[in-house]
């Protein structure tokens, strides 16, 4: 392969671990995004935020009852996705890494998701799963970006590639297992990711992953968005319905418009 040494190292790390953790490529874009969330959340809660951005987001559970969390989260998602610059700013966080790992003709998810996980809250759990199990394309990657420092149970876990292969070899024997049974069978093998504000994760969503009850004393805010190469196979999430091209090149545009005379 005609990859530079840096590109080859990044590729090998991703394939070996199933993920990479790197500083965001555009710190100004991340600051813009977090400032928008601060504005949206303080307006929704009708408060004048006197805390730092980090403390406000980490302690948001003190201002929102847990039974109102999902409604609050959905308002944040609708509000941020209404910002015309948001998707481009999010893309810029990961662009050079995506160029190496996925390609430079990319499709991007139409709406970026947000997770907010309060301490001790059992209503915001994501049971162990791989996105491909429910029809996603194995050619997709997820860019996962926290708005606060994420560590321990405040973060997410992922089952590494080698352990995933062993799990898949026994999948046919697990038809009666619940998601909790499945998690308990791999709990000693999953890797919890420590990701600070200012960093992002790009991970292989064909690997089992999820979260557990947040036993830390702070709230997790994290965004996630899928990317794939435009011309790789799509799963249930189709081009035009779930994805749209964001970096289509001139030769591809010309070729798609070409008609044999």
């Amino acid at each position: 392969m005609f990859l530079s040494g840096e590109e080859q190292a990044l590729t090998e790390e991703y394939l070996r671990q199933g993920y990479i953790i790197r500083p965001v490529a555009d710190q100004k874009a991340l600051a813009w995004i977090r400032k928008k969330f601060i504005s949206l959340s303080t307006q929704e809660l009708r408060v004048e935020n006197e805390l730092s951005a980090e403390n406000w987001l980490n302690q948001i559970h003190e201002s929102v009852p847990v039974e109102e969390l999902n409604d609050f989260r959905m308002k944040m998602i609708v509000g941020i996705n209404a910002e015309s610059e948001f998707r481009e700013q999010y893309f810029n966080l990961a662009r050079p890494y995506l160029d190496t790992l996925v390609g430079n003709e990319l499709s991007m998810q139409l709406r970026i998701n947000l997770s907010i996980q309060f301490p001790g809250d059992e209503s915001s759990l994501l049971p162990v799963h791989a996105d491909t199990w429910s029809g996603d394309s194995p050619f997709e990657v997820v860019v996962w970006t926290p708005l606060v420092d994420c560590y321990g149970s405040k973060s997410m876990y992922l089952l590494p590639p080698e352990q995933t292969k062993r799990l898949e070899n026994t999948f046919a024997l697990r038809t009666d297992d619940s998601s909790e049974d499945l998690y308990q069978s791999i709990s000693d093998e999953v890797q919890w990711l420590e990701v600070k504000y200012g960093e992002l994760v790009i991970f292989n969503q064909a690997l089992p992953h999820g979260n557990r009850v947040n036993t830390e004393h702070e709230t997790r805010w994290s965004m996630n968005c899928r990317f794939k190469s435009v011309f790789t196979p799509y799963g249930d999430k189709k081009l035009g319905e779930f994805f749209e091209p964001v970096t289509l090149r001139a030769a591809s545009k010309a070729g798609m418009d070409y008609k044999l005379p």
Side-chain angles (χ1 to χ4, degrees), residues 40-51:
L40 287 168
S41 59
T42 53
Q43 288 177 25
E44 175 64 27
L45 298 174
R46 299 177 182 175
V47 300
E48 294 184 6
N49 179 30
E50 298 179 355
L51 300 174

Side-chain angles (χ1 to χ4, degrees), residues 19-20 33 54 73 84 88 100 109-110 138 169 171 184 233:
Y19 70 92
I20 62 162
I33 291 170
E54 189 79 13
R73 183 181 70 88
S84 60
E88 184 175 3
T100 296
Q109 187 172 325
L110 287 169
N169 288 336
F171 230 53
Q184 292 300 332

